[in-house]
């Protein structure tokens, strides 16, 4: 079965600092996608970043980057120069290439301290 | 280019009533997915539809829940005879092709009194 685990229910970071959110996943497949979604207080689900498992290069989107360790099945999200608007729940998720359903972790609530 | 639209954003129902949730996918997207989010939980897959077809309903409760995506108009998630345990946020997502990035709507918050 496919599982996604986020071991940090909550985290805090000082504004302008860097924070890393952890995520591990379990799958026997070799072809899949990994995602980080952000859910701010508005509860909208916003795609932050996406990684194809076959790509060795870590995905980057402006201040957001991932550390994808395929052998360790680890997919952490790094947020640089944290801003107040980054405060949200962050969900790690996976999607098998042969499947339709995204599997989500339970989320990490990120607080930004001014 | 409008994103995924869902309405209503908030819905209050009494036990035993019916709830109808609507989802209009992004322009050009023909793949629609419904997810449910219970309080303090991640999203859980319910059903995947293409136009006029249910492709995967493995996450849908066997009773009281149904979904459709007609040739014309939005996708509908229907919950009959709602119970308090149905209170949750229901999210719709769409994608251009299957197994590609899914873009989410703002969700419908259902509260059953």
């Amino acid at each position: 079965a496919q599982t996604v685990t986020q071991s940090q229910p909550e985290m805090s970071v000082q504004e302008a600092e860097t924070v890393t959110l952890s995520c591990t996943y379990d799958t026997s497949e070799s072809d899949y996608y990994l995602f980080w979604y952000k859910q701010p207080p508005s509860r909208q689900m916003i795609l932050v970043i996406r990684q194809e498992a076959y790509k060795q290069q870590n995905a980057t989107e402006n201040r957001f980057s991932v550390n994808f360790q395929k052998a360790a099945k680890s997919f952490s999200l790094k947020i640089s120069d944290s801003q107040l608007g980054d405060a949200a729940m962050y969900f790690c998720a996976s999607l098998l290439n042969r499947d339709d359903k995204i599997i989500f972790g339970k989320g990490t609530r990120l607080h930004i301290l001014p | 280019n409008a994103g995924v639209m869902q309405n209503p954003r908030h819905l209050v129902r009494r036990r035993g009533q019916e709830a109808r949730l609507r989802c209009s996918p992004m322009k050009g997207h023909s793949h629609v997915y419904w997810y449910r989010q219970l309080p303090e939980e991640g999203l859980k897959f319910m059903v995947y539809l293409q136009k006029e077809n249910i492709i995967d309903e493995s996450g849908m409760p066997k009773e009281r829940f149904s979904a459709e995506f007609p040739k014309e108009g939005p996708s509908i998630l229907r919950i009959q005879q709602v119970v308090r345990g149905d209170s949750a946020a229901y999210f719709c997502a769409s994608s251009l092709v299957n197994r590609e990035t899914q873009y989410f709507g703002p969700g419908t918050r259902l509260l059953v009194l």
Side-chain angles (χ1 to χ4, degrees), chain A residues 1-92:
Chain A
Q2 195 183 349
T3 60
V4 176
T5 303
Q6 294 179 251
S7 58
Q8 304 152 316
E10 284 194 68
M11 292 190 73
S12 296
V13 63
Q14 209 73 38
E15 193 176 2
E17 297 292 309
T18 294
V19 64
T20 298
L21 308 184
S22 302
C23 172
T24 57
Y25 60 94
D26 191 17
T27 179
S28 57
E29 310 268 336
S30 60
D31 195 4
Y32 51 89
Y33 303 93
L34 296 168
F35 307 90
W36 279 96
Y37 282 90
K38 170 185 176 181
Q39 189 177 45
S42 67
R43 306 293 299 274
Q44 171 85 46
M45 291 291 287
I46 302 166
L47 177 66
V48 174
I49 202 163
R50 160 196 158 114
Q51 175 84 40
E52 288 90 343
Y54 66 86
K55 288 187 177 178
Q56 291 186 340
Q57 187 172 7
N58 288 325
T60 299
E61 287 289 340
N62 301 313
R63 298 183 295 107
F64 298 85
S65 61
V66 297
N67 183 5
F68 175 42
Q69 302 288 328
K70 191 171 184 178
K73 294 181 181 174
S74 169
F75 184 61
S76 61
L77 175 70
K78 185 172 86 170
I79 307 174
S80 304
D81 185 25
S82 299
Q83 300 175 1
L84 293 177
D86 295 334
M89 280 289 280
Y90 286 82
F91 292 98
C92 180

Side-chain angles (χ1 to χ4, degrees), chain B:
Chain B
N1 196 7
V4 178
M5 311 279 283
Q6 288 188 252
N7 66 81
R9 294 291 304 275
H10 299 274
L11 184 61
V12 179
R13 286 287 178 265
R14 297 193 180 279
R15 281 178 294 171
Q17 292 184 319
E18 178 180 287
R20 278 185 179 242
L21 288 62
R22 285 177 289 278
C23 168
S24 296
M26 286 179 71
K27 188 175 181 181
H29 287 194
S30 60
H31 301 260
V32 166
Y33 314 80
W34 285 92
Y35 292 81
R36 177 164 65 175
Q37 184 181 32
L38 296 171
E40 304 305 315
E41 294 281 328
L43 280 67
K44 295 278 190 339
F45 170 82
M46 298 181 74
V47 62
Y48 159 46
L49 310 101
Q50 293 181 38
K51 284 286 186 182
E52 299 183 278
N53 289 302
I54 296 175
I55 308 301
D56 181 354
E57 56 182 346
S58 58
M60 192 95 99
K62 293 288 184 278
E63 296 177 355
R64 303 188 297 108
F65 285 72
S66 62
E68 63 177 14
F69 189 17
K71 188 176 179 181
E72 301 291 337
S75 175
I76 306 285
L77 179 68
R78 183 179 176 207
I79 312 173
Q80 294 179 290
Q81 299 173 345
V82 296
V83 301
R84 288 216 173 111
D86 297 332
S87 295
Y90 292 82
F91 288 90
C92 169
S94 73
S95 66
L96 185 60
V97 297
N98 189 19
R99 299 169 195 140
E100 271 290 326
T101 300
Q102 296 176 18
Y103 296 92
F104 283 80
T108 294
R109 274 88 192 158
L110 172 65
L111 175 62
V112 179
L113 300 177

